[in-house]
Amino acid sequence: MVLAMFFMVVLTAIVGIITVRARILSVKNKEVRAKYYKLMEGQEVPEFITKTGRNFNNQFEVPLLFYVAAVTHLVLQTNSQFALVCAWAFVISRFIHSYIHITYNHILHRMLTFFFGFFFVLLMWVNLAMFVL
């Protein structure tokens, strides 16, 4: 479980680095004024800037449910192979989701991978509920 959480942190770091790099290059290439980043408003920005920023923000939304479920499994020592499989399925889905979002951004593909991952987080929570009942 800890390794799955570690890879989620790695994904967040990778997306964060891509986002920061894109923002620095956008200012350096004079595509975006540095002032834009103060409040994230005031001009139109290239699509890649929006996609990377939103994807980075996504890493702190549904993954929060994953982290809490994973830590709870660890604290309660459920030793659930099912939860472990669900955790890895979630992490893999998030990598795929980020790849789709940052590259070709096909809405249906992105939505399906999102719901696939969300489903596995819900299963982790159901597994926890069954453990404590």
Side-chain angles (χ1 to χ4, degrees):
M1 195 70 69
V2 173
L3 200 53
M5 289 190 294
F6 172 75
F7 274 93
M8 272 305 303
V9 172
V10 168
L11 173 61
T12 303
I14 290 168
V15 173
I17 290 166
I18 291 170
T19 301
V20 168
R21 185 176 184 275
R23 290 177 181 183
I24 290 169
L25 288 174
S26 73
V27 172
K28 183 178 178 183
N29 296 335
K30 298 185 186 326
E31 296 172 306
V32 178
R33 292 185 311 273
K35 185 179 179 180
Y36 167 80
Y37 293 110
K38 187 173 184 178
L39 297 174
M40 302 301 235
E41 62 184 27
Q43 77 175 87
E44 290 291 318
V45 296
E47 183 179 291
F48 191 69
I49 299 300
T50 302
K51 289 191 305 186
T52 57
R54 288 187 180 160
N55 190 265
F56 184 69
N57 291 341
N58 289 167
Q59 302 312 317
F60 300 96
E61 295 170 352
V62 173
L64 178 63
L65 297 173
F66 162 74
Y67 289 123
V68 172
V71 167
T72 305
H73 273 283
L74 290 170
V75 168
L76 295 178
Q77 298 178 352
T78 63
N79 298 321
S80 170
Q81 288 294 353
F82 178 74
L84 187 60
V85 168
C86 289
W88 279 108
F90 175 75
V91 171
I92 291 166
S93 76
R94 294 305 298 180
F95 270 86
I96 295 168
H97 179 268
S98 289
Y99 174 79
I100 292 168
H101 196 181
I102 291 173
T103 58
Y104 68 98
N105 203 22
H106 189 281
I107 293 171
L108 181 59
H109 296 168
R110 199 175 91 213
M111 182 180 65
L112 289 173
T113 58
F114 172 84
F115 283 119
F116 180 76
F118 189 68
F119 174 72
F120 281 104
V121 167
L122 290 178
L123 288 177
M124 288 176 72
W125 279 101
V126 168
N127 188 255
L128 273 171
M130 289 172 51
F131 180 79
V132 297
L133 291 178

